[in-house]
Amino acid sequence: MSDQTGTDTSKANGSGRTVLVTGATGYIGGRLVPRLLDAGHRVKVLVRSPDKIAGVPWFNDVEVVRSSLDDAAAVEDALRGVDVLYYLVHSMAAGSGFEAKEKSMAELVATAAAAADVRRIVYLGGLHPRGTGLSTHMRSREAVGEVFLSCPVDAVVFQAGVVIGSGSASFEMIRHLSETLPVMPAPSWVRNRIEAIAVRDVLHYLVGAASLEGQHNRTFDIGSRDVLSYAGMMKEYAAEAGLPRRLVLALPIPAPRLAGLWVALVTPIPLSMSVPLVQSLQHDAVSAEHDIDNYIGQPDGGLTGYRTAVALALGKERDAQVETTWANAGADADPLPSDPEWAGHKVYVDERSFHGDVDPAHVWTVIEGIGGRNGWYSLPLAWSVRGWLDKLSGGAGLLRGRRHPHHLVAGEVVDWWRVERIERGKLLRLRAEMRAPGRAWLELSVEPDGNGSRYRQRAIFFPKGLSGRLYWLAVLPFHSLIFPAMSRNITAAARKISSAEQSGDSGPGAREARATP
């Protein structure tokens, strides 16, 4: 059964089509939904965890269906009355069986769409050459597209290459490689020809597909028409970002797995994503046709060239206007068992508190801005070492940063943490996504205390077996160094913000005032 929450807009808009978006918590889906609303469509979203989108501006403008795509009855029920289904679910997972699972899920959705008399399925796949052996990831995306094209429902399957936009995995990969290495020895695939596309143009085509008249049931290649080698893309990024000229040395070896490991170490992309991303670059990715021009007109001003797309992405990041990021997509919460007994779990807790003669609102400003470029307020070298160790073991590391420097919502990423719960002005609970033999959380909270405030922090760890208990003992010295300093420095940073405001500086400088770790 499906659990539906939110507001039904079918009567509110009074025009357009009724669409269901899957993957609304993802990078593309999270940006597509508000644009469909702006176009006058009635939007439903199917998500496993509605809490993940509870903080987005459009939450109350859509109908939220709580379900998973492997529940056939719930999916068919959600599709009743839907004109267009957007299937924007991809997996970067590796390992045996994932191709079969993705194909099976697509077949289930296609069958449900046919039973519910859906008019069209819109799918975003990958741009790839024909008649060539593909990577596991690209082969799976092609297979999903073929499932939809062979089902009774009309399908529009877009095939796009590297998507450039603030917060996209492909953009972050290019960015960090370009910024980290002035001279980069690279595998031979950096010579391959790539036709990137700006995320705004991808969204333009996706929105346009809802209003296409007639039956089409075909693939459409979409791209910027701006073809570069991958090495050329890094050089163009460096030029746009004002970096010195980059030298990329193409070596006569493909080495996709080794390159994937290297990408995981020097970029925010984890190993589980970097390997399939690199593998998808083993062949040219250039549009074989431009038929889309006959069906959906180009955006106002024409398609966005690669260099312009980079400039736009950098501007969005600089202005803290990143709508969605790859890092915030796809992970469900792993709720903290109830206090105080934790349902019989073996649990370790490191708890600290600190009183300060500062307004709780100023302490909260620091709490909500923690991580990313703002840091963790204690021993940055120790945090960096732990981050690199996590990267080497295939974890998230500290390079993912955060979407916005000052504001958080549930489900967002903060370095190797994910926001599990936020009570604005009071409590922030972060769930660890680092590699560890157990589950970990970090809670930061503040409350009034006399004429000042009481800051509290709890590190909570549920060990898994003997290795988890030994791990906790091993990190105790680390905790004894960073956590006391963290509580003091956060309060000191809040005091600095208060002093800046009292001196008349209430702008960004006051918000960004930070104590020296």
Side-chain angles (χ1 to χ4, degrees):
M1 295 293 292
S2 63
D3 177 17
Q4 301 188 3
T5 61
T7 302
D8 186 349
T9 62
S10 59
K11 296 179 181 179
N13 287 333
S15 64
R17 306 189 188 282
T18 299
V19 304
L20 175 69
V21 178
T22 65
T25 59
Y27 178 74
I28 296 291
R31 298 188 181 210
L32 177 63
V33 169
R35 286 159 178 81
L36 288 169
L37 291 168
D38 288 344
H41 300 299
R42 297 172 290 277
V43 180
K44 301 167 69 174
V45 298
L46 188 148
V47 294
R48 286 178 296 181
S49 302
D51 288 347
K52 286 197 63 179
I53 58 171
V56 299
W58 44 263
F59 181 76
N60 291 321
D61 297 323
V62 303
E63 180 182 345
V64 181
V65 181
R66 181 177 182 176
S67 181
S68 62
L69 288 175
D70 55 6
D71 185 337
V75 172
E76 184 175 336
D77 184 58
L79 286 170
R80 295 293 179 194
V82 167
D83 299 307
V84 182
L85 164 65
Y86 284 90
Y87 193 85
L88 301 174
V89 179
H90 295 310
S91 172
M92 285 287 185
S96 60
F98 109 89
E99 283 185 271
K101 180 179 179 181
E102 289 211 327
K103 184 178 180 182
S104 174
M105 187 177 295
E107 289 171 341
L108 181 152
V109 171
T111 300
D117 294 323
V118 171
R119 187 176 65 86
R120 173 171 295 139
I121 297 173
V122 180
Y123 174 64
L124 180 61
L127 192 59
H128 57 271
R130 275 66 168 177
T132 303
L134 300 175
S135 68
T136 303
H137 171 61
M138 292 300 294
R139 191 168 62 239
S140 177
R141 294 178 73 172
E142 181 184 43
V144 169
E146 289 174 350
V147 166
F148 294 136
L149 291 170
S150 62
C151 84
V153 180
D154 181 55
V156 172
V157 176
F158 291 117
Q159 299 184 147
V162 172
V163 176
I164 301 297
S166 57
S168 79
S170 296
F171 177 70
E172 289 299 316
M173 183 169 152
I174 292 168
R175 173 187 175 186
H176 282 267
L177 288 174
S178 303
E179 293 184 351
T180 304
L181 302 169
V183 178
M184 178 180 166
S188 56
W189 52 258
V190 296
R191 296 195 189 104
N192 290 345
R193 299 167 66 242
I194 307 292
E195 183 180 354
I197 185 169
V199 64
R200 60 173 51 197
D201 293 347
V202 173
L203 296 168
H204 169 79
Y205 288 126
L206 287 171
V207 172
S211 301
L212 278 176
E213 297 296 337
Q215 296 285 307
H216 300 282
N217 208 62
R218 56 161 295 178
T219 62
F220 289 101
D221 291 354
I222 56 175
S224 63
R225 321 289 165 90
D226 196 356
V227 179
L228 298 165
S229 67
Y230 199 83
M233 293 170 69
M234 288 190 286
K235 292 175 182 177
E236 288 289 299
Y237 172 89
E240 185 60 41
L243 301 173
R245 181 176 175 82
R246 268 29 189 172
L247 179 61
V248 182
L249 305 175
L251 304 177
I253 51 173
R257 290 195 174 275
L258 181 60
L261 175 61
W262 176 246
V263 167
L265 290 176
V266 300
T267 78
I269 312 299
L271 188 62
S272 60
M273 286 183 65
S274 64
V275 171
L277 277 174
V278 167
Q279 288 176 336
S280 68
L281 298 170
Q282 300 304 302
H283 304 286
D284 291 345
V286 180
S287 295
E289 43 82 12
H290 301 142
D291 295 353
I292 191 62
D293 290 345
N294 300 321
Y295 299 89
I296 301 175
Q298 293 186 5
D300 292 341
L303 293 167
T304 309
Y306 173 76
R307 182 81 173 260
T308 302
V310 169
L312 290 168
L314 289 173
K316 289 286 188 182
E317 293 192 346
R318 182 177 59 251
D319 298 336
Q321 294 181 353
V322 180
E323 293 180 65
T324 59
T325 73
W326 66 269
N328 290 340
D332 291 321
D334 188 10
L336 180 65
S338 301
D339 280 338
E341 299 300 329
W342 285 292
H345 284 269
K346 176 63 179 176
V347 60
Y348 296 108
V349 180
D350 186 304
E351 189 164 3
R352 314 275 173 170
S353 69
F354 195 85
H355 172 81
D357 55 349
V358 63
D359 191 313
H362 293 141
V363 178
W364 177 256
T365 296
V366 181
I367 290 174
E368 192 172 0
I370 202 163
R373 294 182 180 179
N374 298 329
W376 294 88
Y377 298 94
S378 61
L379 297 179
L381 178 61
W383 284 92
S384 295
V385 169
R386 181 63 182 87
W388 282 111
L389 290 175
D390 192 51
K391 269 286 187 180
L392 288 169
S393 65
L398 284 176
L399 296 177
R400 295 190 300 183
R402 44 182 291 155
R403 182 183 63 87
H404 192 284
H406 309 299
H407 305 294
L408 293 172
V409 296
E412 285 194 329
V413 156
V414 181
D415 293 330
W416 65 43
W417 308 91
R418 190 173 295 272
V419 179
E420 185 164 274
R421 180 179 174 187
I422 182 168
E423 296 178 21
R424 192 152 277 105
K426 297 179 180 179
L427 178 140
L428 174 65
R429 178 184 296 161
L430 303 172
R431 173 170 51 91
E433 294 187 341
M434 69 185 82
R435 290 294 182 95
R439 296 181 295 159
W441 292 262
L442 178 63
E443 281 188 347
L444 311 177
S445 63
V446 63
E447 60 187 23
D449 187 16
N451 294 325
S453 59
R454 173 69 59 177
Y455 165 78
R456 301 182 189 276
Q457 68 184 39
R458 293 197 305 169
I460 305 160
F461 184 67
F462 287 73
K464 183 177 180 180
L466 177 61
S467 61
R469 302 183 186 212
L470 294 175
Y471 171 83
W472 178 260
L473 293 175
V475 298
L476 277 179
F478 174 75
H479 289 176
S480 66
L481 290 173
I482 67 164
F483 285 150
M486 189 172 168
S487 60
R488 291 193 305 269
N489 288 342
I490 284 176
T491 305
R495 189 176 295 113
K496 197 172 180 180
I497 294 174
S498 177
S499 298
E501 289 190 358
Q502 290 173 9
S503 67
D505 180 7
S506 58
R511 293 196 307 270
E512 295 173 5
R514 296 291 180 259
T516 302

